[in-house]
Amino acid sequence: GPDDAEPAGAGGGARSDLRRRLRERRRLRLVLLGTVIVVLLGALPLYFGIRTLSNDPVFDTLDALEVPAWAAVETQDDVSGSRWCLLDCRLRERTVESERPPEETARVYEQALVRDGWRRWQVERCPEQEEKGSYTCWRRDELTLDLWVREPTCVPPPGADGEPAIVPSPAPGEELPAECTGASVSLKVRNAIDDDRTRPQPSTDPSLTGEDPFPTLTEDPLGELTPSPS
C-alpha cells in the first residue's frame, strides 16, 4: 500500500544523495590532485631556474683550478651584467689573496690555467692600461680571462683624527712589513663575444700619430688651370 512505497522512495533518495556526495568527493580529489600537479610543474622549473641563476658555472670553473691552498687564502667574487646580455653581458670578477710572493703565485695560477684547458692569448690591450705586476690574458671556448697578480695593498688603520693613513712606500731593498707579504690576485672572466679585443681592431687614426690626414697643398692648384679664352 502507500505505506510501503514511502520507505522505498526514501531509500532511493538516500542512495541518490550518497552517490551525489561520492561524485562530489571524487571531483574534489581530482581537483586537488590537479592543483598539486600544476604547483609541482611550476615550482620545479622555478627552483632550478633560481638555482641556475645563483650558481654561475664560471665560478665553478675557477673553483676547480688546482692551485695550492696558500695561493687562495681569501676569495671574494663579484658579478655584474646579464647572463643573456640584455644590456650588459655578464662580467665575473674574483679577487684572491695569496700568502706567497707575486712571482710564485703567478706561476702556479698560470700552470693551473694551462692544465684546465686555457691557452695564453697574445692580444693588444692586455692589459688595457699599464699595470704593475704580472698581467696575462687567456682564452677557452667562449670565455676570455684576465689574470693580474701583484703586490698586496696594505692599508694601515686610520689616524686619531679619522683621516685615512698614508701608506709609506718601501725604500729600495727594504722588505714589506709582515702583514703586507704575499700577493693579490684578480681574475676577470668575460664572454668572448662581449670582449672588444676579440673583434677586428680599427686602424690607427692618422691624427693620433702626428700625420695630417689632409696635408696642405704646396702648390697653388689654380695656377695649373688652363685659362679660358677671353
Side-chain angles (χ1 to χ4, degrees):
D3 294 338
D4 295 337
E6 184 176 355
R15 286 194 297 271
S16 176
D17 185 62
L18 178 61
R19 286 194 297 269
R20 181 178 58 81
R21 291 183 180 181
L22 290 175
R23 284 196 300 270
E24 291 178 354
R25 191 171 300 175
R26 189 180 302 112
R27 189 180 303 114
L28 180 59
R29 283 200 298 265
L30 291 175
V31 170
L32 289 176
L33 181 61
T35 303
V36 170
I37 292 175
V38 170
V39 169
L40 289 177
L41 291 177
L44 287 177
L46 180 62
Y47 167 76
F48 287 111
I50 294 175
R51 184 176 179 183
T52 301
L53 290 176
S54 59
N55 295 335
D56 193 316
V58 172
F59 287 118
D60 295 338
T61 299
L62 297 181
D63 290 337
L65 289 177
E66 298 178 355
V67 296
W70 55 260
V73 179
E74 297 179 12
T75 301
Q76 182 177 355
D77 292 333
D78 187 29
V79 178
S80 60
S82 166
R83 179 175 297 182
W84 296 279
C85 298
L86 296 180
L87 291 176
D88 296 317
C89 288
R90 175 159 288 193
L91 170 64
R92 300 93 167 172
E93 296 180 272
R94 168 168 290 187
T95 303
V96 182
E97 297 301 323
S98 170
E99 294 177 340
R100 299 195 183 179
E103 295 79 8
E104 186 176 0
T105 301
R107 185 166 56 252
V108 298
Y109 270 93
E110 291 174 6
Q111 292 171 351
L113 288 171
V114 171
R115 286 193 299 268
D116 202 39
W118 294 85
R119 67 181 187 275
R120 288 285 290 266
W121 185 28
Q122 304 292 345
V123 64
E124 294 184 5
R125 295 163 56 197
C126 176
E128 297 187 9
Q129 58 186 10
E130 191 74 21
E131 300 286 4
K132 295 181 179 179
S134 171
Y135 199 108
T136 54
C137 297
W138 304 75
R139 286 198 66 172
R140 195 188 79 170
D141 301 330
E142 76 282 2
L143 300 175
T144 66
L145 182 148
D146 289 28
L147 171 66
W148 181 26
V149 185
R150 61 210 181 271
E151 296 282 353
T153 303
C154 303
V155 181
D161 55 357
E163 293 294 326
I166 299 176
V167 182
S169 300
E174 180 183 355
E175 294 184 358
L176 290 171
E179 62 271 16
C180 287
T181 58
S184 293
V185 182
S186 293
L187 299 107
K188 183 186 298 184
V189 183
R190 284 175 282 197
N191 294 69
I193 59 172
D194 189 50
D195 194 329
D196 292 337
R197 296 170 299 180
T198 63
R199 303 170 187 147
Q201 300 300 309
S203 59
T204 305
D205 186 349
S207 64
L208 301 178
T209 62
E211 299 179 5
D212 189 352
F214 304 104
T216 304
L217 297 175
T218 55
E219 298 180 359
D220 184 3
L222 298 179
E224 298 181 358
L225 295 177
T226 303
S228 58
S230 57

